[in-house]
Amino acid sequence: MKQRIILIFNIFVFFILVFLLQKILFVLMNGGANGEVGTVDLLQILYHGLPIDMSLSGYLTILPALLIIASVWVRVKTPETVMTVYFSIMLFIIAIITSIDVILYPHWGFHLDPVVLFYLGNPGEAVASGTIREWILGILIVLVFTVLLYYGYGFSIRKLFNRLTVPRNRIYSSLILLLLTGALFLPIRGGITVSTMNVSRAYFSNRMFLNHAAINPIFNFLYLLNKNDHFESQYQFYDRDEAQQIFYGLTKKPENADRPSLLRIDRPNIILFMLESFSYDVAVDSAVAPNMARFAREGILFDRFFANSFRTDRALTSILSGYPAHPTIAVLKYPKKTERLPAFPRYLRAAGYENQTLYYGGDVNFANMRSYFVGSCGIRDIVSDRNFPVRERLTKWGVPDGPVIDRAYRDLVETKPDEPFLKVILTLSSHEPFDVPTRLFDVPFLNAVNYTDECIGRFVANLKSTGLWDNTLIIFTADHAMQSYPQGTDNYEKIRFHIPMIWTGGAVREPAIVSDYGSQNDLAATLLSQLHIDYAGFRFSKDMLQPQSHKFSFYSYVNGFCMMDTSSVFLYDNNQQKTLERTGDPAMEKEAKAFFQMMYLDLGER
């Protein structure tokens, strides 16, 4: 019996050591880009992450412990074979998740979450965030990590398992081993307190990278996977009636329709550019993006405009449906829910914008985008990678921005579409791995922005020479800011969500700067209001130009949220259940929490 007790203990400790090694690798691969991580920092990472490691180790030890109990009664080699197969599979999975997590963290700014399952239908698109060099390194990590772990298993576990002898008292030994297996409940649960094990146990520092390094990525994945349903019951800060009352106060549509008119005409042609990863500071930098910087001066610049989230799939519903992004789930995963969302392209169609086209150089089936564009937005004319010859699909993501934007221009000039029309252009060249022909800057991201800016500049210059210019409104905004630039910033910081919104074109009345706070979800109401189209169906969207509306920005990160206006900021982290920043009006805390709570209530009810 003693042999078996030692073996169960060895298995439990073995998995803990594997996870400690996982953390060290994570720090070695990513620590340099997130500030210096010293020896004391590393020890704190290992220490504060240990409870979660013990919890997951407890889960992973249950089956081997049962096999050890079975070996008391079964003399054949079945338990040993099952044990070897089990460890081979588990160690390989751990190695794969470790590798993917290490590679993608610098680009995403957070650990893997269940959304990765959503992308498995398009694996080529899913892995395009990493460079070839990074994925080769990832494969090597998987192989080396798997071999090391398997040899460790053979030395510390399999050898002991093969030496087990039949105990004299089988019933007594089995009862003791069952009690020991049951004791795994304590590390799994995280003790006997009211609070069960969760990712917040690992948080200990004001430097978010250190907290992320302490979190076990496999536990994090499984924890979030378990929270991806029953949305209406999540994040309930207040009584439902109280939350609704606060929310309605924030989003009430003013009865007074007196607001400035930015446009010369009521029904302009609309061309919407959703620019991949265009952070505000980069987009208005005349050295990196000279054309965008010029458009900001010549048109209408919204200089306090923020992305609702950190991924394109979230941005689509934020921009087109005025629906703020949920940090723990992409609503695109649920076509039945997106079909019930409002979408301003559909509203425009009802107002006479029959001619609508989407241009995207990638695979439009990725992340259920087609179902959203067609089913929710009503955009049936879609030009994607399959509409271009193979020789033009030059990047991991598909067709570079140049050919796509040129195609949009040719369609406008050659087919002479019925007016008014809506054209939506979703760019992709400024997504990792930034494989563009421009080589002016040392930072690959800046080269990619410069390349897309050049393509856009050519498009606008050519359009000005046509008769379409005077009746056209061009809107530039970003799907999100670049998460990996600049380096060394935490994933909740405002710079990671500050994006441009610029209106230009002949339909714009005059240059202006709008400095009221707003977010992507406010574009729908603001645009429809300018076109004198009722936007009451967009419950989360507000007219940024309406003097009586509540002017604020809202964004969510993994897993938290921020609300801010000209005088106040409230930043909250759900994992830590902790306020990270609170300045100005204390009432903003309730407003931010109620807004976030209503996002999940609304999602659950759709």
Side-chain angles (χ1 to χ4, degrees):
M1 184 177 69
K2 181 179 178 182
Q3 292 174 306
R4 287 172 170 80
I5 292 175
I6 293 174
L7 182 55
I8 292 176
F9 178 78
N10 278 10
I11 293 171
F12 180 70
V13 172
F14 173 78
F15 280 118
I16 291 176
L17 293 176
V18 169
F19 298 138
L20 294 179
L21 180 61
Q22 187 182 59
K23 288 179 173 57
I24 293 172
L25 177 63
F26 182 86
V27 171
L28 290 175
M29 295 292 290
N30 294 307
N34 292 274
E36 291 298 325
V37 178
T39 303
V40 174
D41 294 326
L42 180 59
L43 292 175
Q44 287 186 313
I45 288 169
L46 300 179
Y47 173 75
H48 289 281
L50 186 59
I52 294 180
D53 295 338
M54 292 176 65
S55 178
L56 187 55
S57 297
Y59 280 112
L60 295 175
T61 304
I62 290 175
L63 181 58
L66 294 176
L67 291 172
I68 292 171
I69 296 172
S71 71
V72 173
W73 302 90
V74 181
R75 297 185 179 184
V76 296
K77 293 182 65 65
T78 301
E80 178 193 346
T81 302
V82 175
M83 180 84 81
T84 299
V85 171
Y86 172 79
F87 269 88
S88 298
I89 294 173
M90 289 299 105
L91 295 179
F92 185 64
I93 291 174
I94 290 171
I96 289 178
I97 293 179
T98 298
S99 176
I100 295 175
D101 185 67
V102 164
I103 289 172
L104 292 184
Y105 181 85
H107 304 295
W108 289 4
F110 49 87
H111 285 301
L112 287 179
D113 62 25
V115 174
V116 71
L117 299 177
F118 186 34
Y119 296 153
L120 291 182
N122 304 82
E125 302 267 353
V127 303
S129 291
T131 64
I132 294 177
R133 178 175 174 272
E134 287 173 329
W135 287 115
I136 291 175
L137 177 61
I139 293 172
L140 290 175
I141 291 174
V142 169
L143 295 175
V144 173
F145 208 55
T146 302
V147 170
L148 287 176
L149 298 184
Y150 188 77
Y151 272 104
Y153 156 71
F155 177 78
S156 62
I157 297 171
R158 187 173 59 184
K159 185 182 295 185
L160 292 178
F161 192 87
N162 291 335
R163 293 175 180 173
L164 293 178
T165 58
V166 177
R168 295 179 181 177
N169 191 329
R170 295 185 180 185
I171 296 177
Y172 175 74
S173 298
S174 297
L175 288 175
I176 295 299
L177 293 172
L178 277 172
L179 287 174
L180 181 60
T181 302
L184 292 172
F185 170 80
L186 290 175
I188 287 174
R189 193 181 184 279
I192 57 175
T193 61
V194 175
S195 174
T196 57
M197 183 58 65
N198 57 71
V199 294
S200 66
R201 294 283 188 98
Y203 283 73
F204 68 95
S205 172
N206 291 326
R207 291 172 58 189
M208 194 58 68
F209 174 76
L210 300 184
N211 297 325
H212 290 173
I215 295 172
N216 186 303
I218 301 170
F219 183 93
N220 179 74
F221 183 90
L222 296 173
Y223 177 77
L224 292 178
L225 186 65
N226 189 49
K227 291 177 68 65
N228 276 344
D229 223 335
H230 307 295
F231 304 110
E232 66 279 0
S233 65
Q234 298 180 26
Y235 306 109
Q236 300 305 291
F237 297 104
Y238 308 114
D239 175 83
R240 184 186 183 116
D241 291 338
E242 181 181 6
Q244 288 180 332
Q245 184 178 4
I246 298 171
F247 175 76
Y248 291 147
L250 282 171
T251 58
K252 182 180 179 181
K253 309 299 191 257
E255 297 180 2
N256 178 14
D258 182 22
R259 69 320 175 230
S261 176
L262 304 182
L263 307 177
R264 296 188 302 102
I265 53 180
D266 290 338
R267 291 291 183 269
N269 304 315
I270 300 172
I271 302 174
L272 170 63
F273 279 88
M274 288 190 277
L275 306 171
E276 172 66 48
S277 304
F278 264 55
S279 305
Y280 179 86
D281 289 343
V282 174
V284 299
D285 187 328
S286 58
V288 178
N291 292 297
M292 286 290 292
R294 186 177 74 256
F295 300 153
R297 296 191 301 269
E298 296 175 349
I300 301 166
L301 171 64
F302 295 75
D303 64 350
R304 289 177 174 174
F305 195 71
F306 288 79
N308 282 123
S309 191
F310 45 84
R311 277 186 175 140
T312 303
D313 52 8
R314 270 93 159 166
L316 295 177
T317 51
S318 295
I319 294 172
L320 299 176
S321 292
Y323 200 61
H326 301 74
T328 59
I329 190 66
V331 69
L332 286 189
K333 183 180 179 181
Y334 303 92
K336 289 185 178 180
K337 292 183 182 291
T338 58
E339 288 171 5
R340 299 187 181 103
L341 291 177
F344 78 72
R346 191 174 287 278
Y347 277 54
L348 292 179
R349 184 179 296 278
Y353 287 79
E354 292 290 338
N355 190 301
Q356 300 188 3
T357 310
L358 171 80
Y359 295 88
Y360 176 53
D363 182 0
V364 77
N365 295 307
F366 181 60
N368 275 354
M369 289 196 297
R370 183 185 292 275
S371 71
Y372 174 67
F373 289 132
V374 176
S376 302
C377 300
I379 302 177
R380 294 182 290 275
D381 184 13
I382 296 176
V383 177
S384 65
D385 58 347
R386 300 301 175 187
N387 298 102
F388 292 86
V390 174
R391 66 177 182 277
E392 291 188 343
R393 302 174 201 172
L394 302 174
T395 73
K396 283 187 176 182
W397 287 100
V399 184
D401 292 342
V404 174
I405 295 173
D406 289 345
R407 165 66 183 270
Y409 174 76
R410 288 197 307 272
D411 287 352
L412 289 173
V413 174
E414 295 174 4
T415 63
K416 297 181 180 178
D418 294 335
E419 301 182 55
F421 57 72
L422 169 67
K423 307 295 179 182
V424 179
I425 303 173
L426 180 59
T427 71
L428 55 71
S429 290
S430 44
H431 193 291
E432 300 96 340
F434 314 119
D435 41 358
V436 298
T438 304
R439 294 291 184 271
L440 298 179
F441 303 92
D442 293 333
V443 180
F445 168 59
L446 300 183
N447 285 317
V449 170
N450 182 262
Y451 166 73
T452 299
D453 178 79
E454 179 185 350
C455 300
I456 291 172
R458 183 171 62 250
F459 174 88
V460 171
N462 290 336
L463 194 65
K464 284 183 177 180
S465 65
T466 71
L468 294 172
W469 177 258
D470 289 342
N471 297 326
T472 297
L473 165 66
I474 304 176
I475 300 176
F476 295 104
T477 191
D479 55 354
H480 52 78
M482 172 48 61
Q483 296 299 294
S484 60
Y485 181 87
Q487 292 184 341
T489 55
D490 286 319
N491 66 346
Y492 58 78
E493 293 189 41
K494 302 172 191 65
I495 192 174
R496 286 190 180 271
F497 298 88
H498 194 191
I499 60 172
M501 183 163 76
I502 300 168
W503 292 15
T504 189
V508 170
R509 188 180 299 279
E510 60 184 359
I513 296 179
V514 178
S515 292
D516 291 320
Y517 277 82
S519 308
Q520 286 171 331
N521 58 297
D522 298 321
L523 172 58
T526 303
L527 176 61
L528 293 176
S529 178
Q530 287 292 303
L531 302 178
H532 308 289
I533 299 173
D534 180 40
Y535 61 91
F538 294 80
R539 67 182 308 198
F540 287 92
S541 188
K542 65 182 183 296
D543 180 1
M544 292 179 61
L545 301 171
Q546 169 58 252
Q548 296 180 12
S549 68
H550 196 119
K551 309 296 179 66
F552 65 91
S553 296
F554 185 92
Y555 65 79
S556 60
Y557 66 95
V558 182
N559 174 18
F561 55 91
C562 178
M563 179 179 284
M564 61 187 136
D565 59 21
T566 54
S567 61
S568 306
V569 176
F570 180 75
L571 176 63
Y572 188 81
D573 191 281
N574 289 311
N575 286 332
Q576 301 180 76
Q577 298 182 6
K578 175 184 177 182
T579 299
L580 302 183
E581 183 178 351
R582 182 196 287 112
T583 59
D585 187 356
M588 181 165 280
E589 176 175 353
K590 273 202 165 185
E591 293 171 344
K593 289 182 175 179
F595 191 89
F596 190 73
Q597 177 175 338
M598 289 301 297
M599 286 166 50
Y600 278 85
L601 280 172
D602 184 89
L603 181 62
E605 293 173 351
R606 288 191 183 271

